[in-house]
Every structure is written in C-alpha cells, then in structure tokens.
Amino acid sequence: MRLRCEVNGESREVDDVWPGESLLYVLRERMGLPGSKNACEQGECGSCTVYLDGVPVCSCLVAAGQAEGHEVTTVEGLAEGEQLDPVQQAFVEKGAVQCGFCTPGLIVATHDLLERRERPSDPEIREALAGNLCRCTGYEKILDAVRLAADRKAVS
Amino acid sequence: MSVGQPVVRVEGRRKVTGQARYTADIAEDGLVHAVSVGASVASGRITAMDTSAAHDAGGVLAIVTHHNAPRTHPVPGREVSGPAGDTIPILQDDRVYYAEQPVAVVVAHTLEQARYAASLVRVSYALEPAVATMYQRLGEAFESRYARPVVVGDVDSGFAQADVVVETTCHLQMQHQHPMELIAMTAHWSGDELTVRASTQSVGVLRAGIAIAFGLRPEQVRVTSEFLGGGFGGKASLWWPTITATMAARVTGRPVRLVVSRAQMVAASGHRARSQQRVRLGARRDGRLTAIDYDTITETSAWYDTPPPSITSITPIPYRSPAIRAIPRFVKVNTQSPTPMRSPHEGQGLVAIESAMDELAERTGLDPLELRRRNYADREPWTGKPWSSNGLLECYDLGARRFGWSRRDPKPRSMRQGGLLIGWGMSTAFRLAESRPASARAVLHADGTVLVQMGTQDIGTGTYTIIGQVAADAVGVTVDRVTAEIADTDLPPAPPSIGSFTAQTVSGTVTNAGNALRDKVINVAVADEQSPLYGAAPEQVIVHNGRMRLRDDPARGETYAELLRRNGLPAVDAIGQHNPPGIGEGTHGRYAFGVDFAEVRVDPSLGTVRVTRYVKVIEAGKIINPRTTRSQVIGGVTFGIGQALTEVSEMDTQHARIANASFWGYHVPVNADVPAIDAQFVEVDDPHVPQGVKGLGELCTIGAAPAIVNAVAHATGIRVRELPITADKLLG
C-alpha cells in the first residue's frame, strides 16, 4: 500500500508498504527514523514508544496500515532545532542515560507523563514508566531526571 | 584536572534525540536482510531439509544451509583474546548440539520476506538424547585443564583445628544477559575485503575470529561498533550471528543485516551457567577461619572442553585462611556455551561463600560484619602477595554507618513492620582490578582540538566520556576540546570491554598517548626560533588550557594552536602504549573492593520479597567520573537484584529448550522493583595501577545477590540456597 501519515510535523508518503508490517519497521526502515528502537517486538520493553495522535504506543504493536492518515511523533521530533526538550536535557544532566537503547522510549513516555501531570509523585512516575525496561541504569537516575524535567517545565 | 569531575556524558545528546546510530540503525545501499532458522531439537542430526517453499516465497535471495554454506575453519575459543564463544562449526555439518542452533539462514530483500520464508523451511531430525541440566549427569563431572584447582595449606588439618564447621550447598540457575539491544550484525564484502558492523564488546575478538573462520588475513577484515546497547558479557565473543551474517553476505554478494530476535537471544550468545557450589568453612570459636573447602560444578556446552570462565578459576574468597581448597568441575549439557555475565567468578562464587559466612556468624554468635572484619585478608589469600591497595575496611565502616547496621537485631524474624518481615543482610564484594595491553593515538589539530583514537568499545558505561577526561589532563586541554573515536579495528588495538578492564586500560593507554603528544609538541616549540619557548628545557614547560608556558614564568608561552598554525602543521600525533602485567602476575594482588548492605521486606503470607533500602560502598581507586560511575553502580546493583530475586532462564528438562525466552517470561527488574540505592565511594591511592584507577564495572553487581540472600534469611529465618529467591521458596 501507499502509506500517508504525518511524522514529526511533516507529511510523509511511502510506497510498497505491506499493511501488516509494524509502524516501527516503517519508521526505521522506510522513513530513515531509527531513533525508536526494536528490543522485543512484542510490546514488553517500551523501547519503541512513539506518539500516535498524541497517545504513546509501542510502535512495534501498531500495524503500518493503522497509521494511515494519522499523526506520529518520535523521539527525533521532540527537540526544537538545537533546543532540547526539558525531558531530554534532564536525562543527559542526571546520568539517566547509559547505553541509550531504552532511552528513546523513556523520553517519549516521560514526555507524555509530564504533558498529563505537572508534578507527578514518585509512584506515579514509576507507574507511568512501568512499561519501559532498562538494563543499565537501575531507574533511579531516570526518576531524578523526570523530577528535574517536571520542575523545569513547571517553572517555564 | 578533568579526571575526578562529574563530566556530563559526551554522547548523551545524541542518545536522547535518537541520533546515536546502533548497528541495526545504519542503512546501506543494497542492504538485504537475513533471518536465522534455529534447530527445534537440542541434540541429533539433520536428516532432511526442504527449502523449496521458502525459495518460492517472494523476495528470497538465498538460503544458506550446511549443504551450501561457505566452508569455514574451526575457531578455537582460546586462540582469540576473549572468552570462548561458538567454537562449533556453524552450518558445516548435520550435527545439532543445542536448541536454536542455526540450521539455515534465509536472505531476502526485506525483513518481513526473510522472516516469512524462514518459517517455511522444513527440517527433519534424527533425535538423540539431550542433557538439559547438569543434575541429569552429576556423576560425570570432570576437571578441566582450563580451570585449575586452588590449593593453599592443608585443608584437612585446618578442619581438625576448627571449633565450628559450617557446610552449605547453593544452586545458581541459568541466567541471560538480555541487553536491551538485540545482537545485530551487518556484513559487507567488497572483493576479498570484509567490513562488519557489529553489536560487540570486542571488535578485535570478532576480527580475529572471522579471519580464522574464513581463512583471511586480519587486515582483510574491518569490524566497527560505534554504539552498543549493552552487553553484560553476552557480546564479548565470536558467536554465530557474526558467522552467519558473513556467510549470507558472501553468498548473496550484498550487504546483509542480521538481527536476532529476543527469543533467539538465549541461543545467539552465551549465558551465566547453572552452578552447584558446596562450601565448608572451619573456624575457631572467635570466628577466625581455619579452612575453606569449596567445590563447584558448573555446566558447560556439549561439544568442547573449553569450559566457561569458572567460579573458581579466579578465586572468590576474600578472607584470610591458612588453608583453602577450591576445585572446579564441569558437566556437559546441550545448551549454547556459557560465557561471563556481569559478573563471573566472584559474582557467582560469593553467593555461596557469603551465605556460608552468615551461617558461620550465626553459629559463632558474631555479628556478620564483625565476623568479616576478623577475617580480613591483609594479603591476597591464595598467593600471599600484598595488595596493591585495599580500602575494604573503610568501605565496611562507611557502609555500616550509612546503613545503620549497628541497630540490627541479630535474631531472624525479629524485625517487623505491619505484617511484613524486615531483614538486613550484607556481603563483602571484591573483583580483580586489571587491564590489558592496548594502544591509542592522540592527535592535536591546528585549531587546538584533540582527537583520541583507540579500538576500545563503549558498552554504555561512558568510555567516550572518560577518554576525553583522561586525554584532557594528559595533553593539557579542557575536556570539551577532546573527541574520541573508538570501536574500529582500523584504530590502534585495545582489549575487549570485559572483566572491568576498560577504565584502567583507557587510563594507562590514553595517558601515555596524551603525554607523548604533549612532549612532542613541546619539543617543536622549544626548537622553534619564533616561539616564546625557544631554547627552554622541555621539562620546564607545562601546559594548561591548551597553552604551553614555562613553569616559573607564566607569561612566557603560547598556545598549541598558535604554534601549529605558525609552523604550517595541520596536526601532530603520537601513539601511546600500555603494557600491564598479565592477569594475576606482578608483585601485587590488584583488586577493587566493596560492601553491600541490603534491607528487604518479605510478606510472609505471599512469599514476596522487596528490596527497600540499599547501601553500596566501593573502593576502586580513583573514580574518573562520579556522575557516570554512580549511575553505573546503581544499575549494577539492580542487575544483582535481578540475579537474586527475579531472573531465571527456565529449562524444559524434557526437550532441553529454554521455555521463557522473552521479557514476559524472563523477569528483569523493572522500575518498581528497585529502591533508592545509596552508592558511595572510598578513594585510595594505588601506585600499582595506571593513574590509580582500578575499574568497577562488575564490582557494581558483585555482592548484591549474597547481601539479599542474607537479608532474606534474616527476615524469614529461611536460608534460600537456590537462586533466584522466588515466592515458592519462602512458602510452605
């Protein structure tokens, strides 16, 4: 099929898409957006999290055809030019990144949390990020980053 | 000084914006996709293969099987400088040694086409009996020339002098590294030259292994790995994905990408081997050890006699004892070969040793920490060599204070809150602190920036960042002026990123390269008639912020950039070598030390265990970067929580297949499983390791599992001897 959707604010159109392939595959292999990561391909790890019409989803579980005519935002679409989103900035500063493979999914999931909750409590953060596995950091610095990003967004 | 500062991770920005490119992220013109077909049995012979339906599926370019695969040479595990990986011939004959061993590789234009075609490959087998676990063959346990026993003193007379003898046997299950990044390879031939992008902890090991397997000279093979999504030991060796991707590229003449699935990860590289560990401790009434007897049986794979780095091939005994006997034995099973998983040796062995120490504390009526202090080893216990440095006692003091250990009621089940049982446990942690030979090139450009090139890897811990820090200090520039190029066999060679080697190896090598570069440029300056430093003695010149000046006359000097520009030099470079003693060689025992204190809360009606408080203190010499290191330690403890409480690869004992090869079945710790972890450092000066840096990548994890085992025993009165501690082991 020819797939048309809006990705990171741009209209995109790709041909020869098999409707059953995943949105993750389309983004990575057909649109040159490999920021979203494939680590389990069955919705267990959260590394491929993107926004679909403003709702965070595991893009490995979304069929390409389901994205037709919809809006997608990936980790590549969160910074404004050189200006990092406060969530991205906080992850760098707080040491919440190690190997970085789970990071794109965590950035999107955290971004979504802070859109919904200005000052999430620690249990709310843990709940919101429960679907994002990380094998390197042990999560504590991720919590620090979320709190820092929340503080900065609340002030700005 | 940049070393010691909490410098922000240099590649962090690329990682949070999705711009860091991992192996499977990199597109190439003409790239096609390979999918491996794994054996559905664990032992036997292939009797027939039908690939016709797969060939007829759309988009298929090639199907590689043992009938048509390029012939390869055997790769002996010990001939490449890394832990043994796949040493069986891949796709060379009809033998199957373990489930999911590759029997075919399907190459197609798209990944979906390759996957579908792979599902159509039909294979028939003549089944042979498979050994699923060592418990089916304990009577066949054998000693290996690769893992020699350790014998110090006379154990029998040690036990004869003992007032108290404790004996315990622990069982550790099979566990998998499961790094977030799936193992990925892209192989690209051009003529007889091969380039492999790899998710690997060792570009050098891969190059050496590929060259042997395919009959190439090492110079014909280039391996790169710019970003790596974790490894934990599972990506350190030559495993079949490298071989099969290379074959697929050879057969199709196209660049081929092969990414294994999460389900295949349990067979695409090694794992932490199942082990049985029997410990006997003899001690005087005052707790002082008289004898340690330590027998282990560890699983190894069915086809070769190179066992995994065994628990006792590096002795996991941090205590003084006049008599020590440690004998490792092995049983062959039908699994992929085991390999180190953060961490082998002490990381597995201390579970049993420290569990036995706590039993000894109970028997002697001593506080567990006091018992360990009394048995502090002021020399390396199995050689008698002095330590290069040892801050263990300071770690004990600081950790106990921060944890509040003195308030512990020694009686099991005595501490409660609400309906929960509270337990406090601790463990000594220690790990060899070594580095391996390496070299690096440091390049000063005319704009005053510095490039460091070194064939090491960044497994996520921060190698890019610490190279910048070490180089900045050696060359005399600020850290923001330095960039690093790593993980490429075209660069000066460095060891695998294993064994906690990297920080110390980088410190030694990059310091030497940076010093050589600085000296070379100073020599240009003092010989340059137009330089303010002309005629000065080189040793009187110091460099700060990229400006050379006389030590005693700060006004007399110039910047690197001024000198290079005036002389028309686009760049100056220098090589630095690092040649440390071999592992365990040299005049001193080189180790890093630490202590773990854990609090758990156990629900006695459900058997659930939660870690609720944690203190870890580490003495690893000089800490290069407290920001990246603290994060590393917290993550390492979390890895140990998984080892203790949640992680097990469940073996189907009937068919010798792993039954839970996914994140839904293999439980890595998640956000809510992990408490706030108080990670602290004791810094000591160590003149016997480069720049005083010991390394701690594995020490982070070592000690966590035994501390939790001991905390659970304190909480419940039940000493669990089989990891992980799942609810069933605390009920009934």
Side-chain angles (χ1 to χ4, degrees):
Chain A
M1 66 180 281
R2 168 172 291 184
L3 177 68
R4 296 188 194 85
C5 55
E6 193 178 302
V7 180
N8 297 334
E10 272 179 52
S11 294
R12 299 292 298 262
E13 195 174 289
V14 282
D15 284 322
D16 300 325
V17 173
W18 174 51
E21 68 191 39
S22 70
L23 173 60
L24 176 63
Y25 186 84
V26 171
L27 292 169
R28 290 178 53 81
E29 303 296 335
R30 299 186 185 277
M31 293 184 171
L33 292 169
S36 309
K37 299 295 182 246
N38 168 25
C40 75
E41 264 195 316
Q42 44 191 25
E44 294 158 359
C45 76
S47 304
C48 65
T49 305
V50 302
Y51 281 115
L52 181 64
D53 293 339
V55 177
V57 295
C58 287
S59 60
C60 72
L61 296 183
V62 176
Q66 291 176 282
E68 169 70 20
H70 293 272
E71 288 178 18
V72 177
T73 306
T74 73
V75 70
E76 289 101 332
L78 294 181
E80 302 224 2
E82 285 298 293
Q83 183 68 40
L84 293 182
D85 182 88
V87 173
Q88 294 170 314
Q89 184 64 37
F91 267 65
V92 175
E93 282 180 35
K94 283 293 175 184
V97 178
Q98 279 189 39
C99 86
F101 208 78
C102 69
T103 305
L106 275 159
I107 296 280
V108 175
T110 303
H111 189 274
D112 171 64
L113 168 66
L114 298 184
E115 292 290 301
R116 292 184 284 111
R117 293 280 299 161
E118 192 171 284
R119 296 273 191 178
S121 66
D122 283 2
E124 285 173 323
I125 299 172
R126 288 188 191 277
E127 176 68 24
L129 304 183
N132 292 82
L133 301 182
C134 171
R135 199 69 165 136
C136 296
T137 68
Y139 306 103
E140 186 176 329
K141 294 294 166 189
I142 292 171
L143 261 74
D144 286 351
V146 178
R147 292 185 207 110
L148 176 66
D151 288 347
R152 288 190 179 153
K153 283 178 84 120
V155 170
S156 64
Chain B
M1 290 290 280
S2 180
V3 168
Q5 299 301 312
V7 172
V8 171
R9 176 180 292 273
V10 295
E11 82 288 9
R13 187 184 180 93
R14 292 169 71 186
K15 286 179 172 172
V16 297
T17 54
Q19 300 303 320
R21 291 288 177 263
Y22 301 78
T23 300
D25 297 345
I26 299 167
E28 286 192 42
D29 286 343
L31 184 73
V32 296
H33 298 266
V35 168
S36 170
V37 179
S40 59
V41 303
S43 179
R45 287 184 184 278
I46 298 166
T47 54
M49 297 192 84
D50 179 1
T51 56
S52 54
H55 266 297
D56 293 344
V60 172
L61 292 162
I63 299 174
V64 185
T65 70
H66 69 277
H67 294 299
N68 64 352
R71 297 296 98 185
T72 58
H73 304 281
V75 182
R78 297 282 157 157
E79 290 201 9
V80 292
S81 59
D86 271 312
T87 55
I88 56 162
I90 302 295
L91 298 178
Q92 299 295 294
D93 59 30
D94 60 358
R95 290 279 324 166
V96 174
Y97 298 89
Y98 61 93
E100 294 299 334
Q101 176 187 324
V103 294
V105 177
V106 178
V107 193
H109 287 287
T110 73
L111 180 61
E112 299 293 353
Q113 289 168 335
R115 272 192 190 150
Y116 177 61
S119 75
L120 301 176
V121 173
R122 293 286 169 262
V123 186
S124 304
Y125 302 92
L127 268 175
E128 292 173 14
V131 185
T133 82
M134 65 183 188
Y135 296 112
Q136 297 168 345
R137 297 286 167 90
L138 278 185
E140 297 175 10
F142 63 93
E143 289 185 38
S144 163
R145 63 199 161 102
Y146 295 105
R148 299 205 177 278
V150 172
V151 180
V152 176
D154 179 359
V155 170
D156 293 334
S157 72
F159 282 110
Q161 294 161 27
D163 300 315
V164 185
V165 175
V166 166
E167 178 169 339
T168 191
T169 301
C170 287
H171 304 266
L172 273 62
Q173 297 282 4
M174 174 192 276
Q175 296 176 322
H176 278 82
Q177 295 87 352
H178 278 308
M180 294 309 296
E181 183 200 23
L182 300 165
I183 292 173
M185 299 285 154
T186 302
H188 190 164
W189 288 88
S190 103
D192 285 332
E193 310 258 303
L194 172 70
T195 302
V196 177
R197 288 184 205 282
S199 54
T200 179
Q201 293 171 245
S202 179
V203 293
V205 164
L206 252 55
R207 173 159 85 163
I210 292 167
I212 294 171
F214 290 89
L216 302 167
R217 296 186 314 280
E219 312 82 73
Q220 291 172 280
V221 183
R222 181 181 179 196
V223 181
T224 65
S225 183
E226 188 180 8
F227 286 107
L228 186 65
F232 313 109
K235 296 175 179 172
S237 312
L238 182 76
W239 302 100
W240 58 254
T242 310
I243 301 287
T244 52
T246 302
M247 285 176 170
R250 176 100 270 184
V251 168
T252 58
R254 303 281 291 266
V256 171
R257 181 194 293 164
L258 184 148
V259 184
V260 308
S261 68
R262 182 57 62 185
Q264 290 174 326
M265 285 291 278
V266 299
S269 79
H271 53 272
R272 179 183 280 150
R274 188 192 308 275
S275 64
Q276 170 184 295
Q277 308 178 37
R278 189 184 67 105
V279 182
R280 259 194 324 149
L281 301 178
R284 300 281 199 190
R285 228 165 257 113
D286 65 1
R288 285 179 213 286
L289 291 164
T290 59
I292 300 171
D293 192 13
Y294 183 50
D295 286 323
T296 59
I297 302 177
T298 308
E299 289 181 354
T300 188
S301 52
W303 61 89
Y304 69 61
D305 69 345
T306 311
S310 78
I311 296 164
T312 48
S313 64
I314 293 173
T315 310
I317 295 169
Y319 301 117
R320 179 175 53 199
S321 172
I324 297 171
R325 183 172 62 194
I327 299 177
R329 290 183 297 155
F330 302 89
V331 171
K332 292 185 177 185
V333 296
N334 289 98
T335 65
Q336 173 60 292
S337 280
T339 202
M341 172 169 160
R342 191 196 204 185
S343 158
H345 314 120
E346 299 91 341
Q348 286 160 275
L350 278 177
V351 175
I353 298 286
E354 288 294 87
S355 195
M357 285 295 279
D358 258 34
E359 292 191 52
L360 181 61
E362 287 166 27
R363 290 278 303 278
T364 54
L366 287 167
D367 174 78
L369 180 58
E370 174 58 24
L371 175 71
R372 286 162 175 88
R373 282 188 210 274
R374 287 190 187 184
N375 287 291
Y376 171 77
D378 58 357
R379 292 174 165 261
E380 193 174 68
W382 52 95
T383 63
K385 286 193 226 175
W387 301 112
S388 62
S389 64
N390 184 332
L392 180 59
L393 294 175
E394 292 94 316
C395 291
Y396 285 159
D397 290 343
L398 180 60
R401 203 163 58 240
R402 292 188 74 90
F403 190 80
W405 182 258
S406 61
R407 297 195 303 275
R408 178 178 184 270
D409 182 335
K411 200 162 167 290
R413 302 179 72 91
S414 62
M415 295 165 61
R416 293 166 188 253
Q417 191 176 62
L420 302 179
L421 300 169
I422 299 174
W424 289 4
M426 54 88 52
S427 172
T428 302
F430 80 134
R431 178 64 173 154
L432 59 88
E434 302 270 6
S435 51
R436 306 298 303 125
S439 55
R441 180 185 296 113
V443 186
L444 175 66
H445 294 113
D447 62 0
T449 60
V450 175
L451 172 67
V452 179
Q453 298 176 311
M454 181 174 177
T456 181
Q457 298 75 209
D458 192 336
I459 55 179
T461 48
T463 311
Y464 283 104
T465 308
I466 65 168
I467 285 177
Q469 293 179 262
V470 173
D473 288 352
V475 181
V477 297
T478 51
V479 67
D480 59 315
R481 307 296 278 168
V482 187
T483 53
E485 281 178 10
I486 63 170
D488 184 336
T489 51
D490 280 358
L491 302 176
S497 293
I498 58 170
S500 307
F501 295 154
T502 303
Q504 191 184 112
T505 304
V506 162
S507 294
T509 315
V510 175
T511 297
N512 289 345
N515 286 344
L517 176 63
R518 186 198 60 218
D519 292 349
K520 194 167 172 181
V521 179
I522 288 172
N523 279 318
V524 173
V526 299
D528 176 1
E529 290 181 11
Q530 294 175 49
S531 171
L533 294 166
Y534 176 67
E539 59 277 12
Q540 289 303 314
V541 180
I542 60 171
V543 189
H544 183 65
N545 278 351
R547 182 174 178 273
M548 300 169 284
R549 64 168 175 84
L550 283 185
R551 192 185 305 275
D552 300 328
D553 184 2
R556 198 173 144 200
E558 66 173 333
T559 65
Y560 281 145
E562 286 165 343
L563 175 75
L564 264 61
R565 282 200 209 107
R566 189 174 60 249
N567 283 275
L569 294 169
V572 179
D573 71 337
I575 296 275
Q577 308 277 352
H578 173 56
N579 293 300
I583 292 170
E585 293 172 7
T587 53
H588 291 74
R590 297 178 296 277
Y591 271 76
F593 298 89
V595 65
D596 290 63
F597 290 94
E599 177 187 277
V600 299
R601 292 183 187 225
V602 181
D603 185 328
S605 53
L606 297 174
T608 50
V609 180
R610 282 197 167 278
V611 180
T612 48
R613 217 155 55 82
Y614 207 96
V615 175
K616 174 130 200 170
V617 185
I618 278 178
E619 184 274 284
K622 179 81 188 160
I623 300 300
I624 300 174
N625 185 327
R627 187 190 308 259
T628 54
T629 306
R630 183 158 280 120
S631 181
Q632 192 180 355
V633 174
I634 291 168
V637 169
T638 302
F639 211 84
I641 291 174
Q643 181 184 7
L645 297 180
T646 63
E647 295 181 32
V648 52
S649 287
E650 300 281 3
M651 182 61 81
D652 170 350
T653 53
Q654 198 70 28
H655 301 101
R657 294 180 62 90
I658 291 165
N660 60 339
S662 69
F663 281 133
W664 66 258
Y666 187 93
H667 298 159
V668 305
V670 300
N671 209 317
D673 292 329
V674 185
I677 293 163
D678 180 15
Q680 300 293 326
F681 303 105
V682 167
E683 292 203 38
V684 300
D685 291 329
D686 190 327
H688 301 284
V689 294
Q691 311 306 111
V693 171
K694 290 186 177 180
L696 49 63
E698 294 161 308
L699 187 64
C700 300
T701 296
I702 295 167
I708 292 167
V709 169
N710 290 338
V712 170
H714 181 234
T716 63
I718 301 169
R719 180 156 291 280
V720 179
R721 295 187 174 85
E722 184 185 335
L723 260 53
I725 306 174
T726 42
D728 52 303
K729 293 169 190 136
L730 296 173
L731 295 174

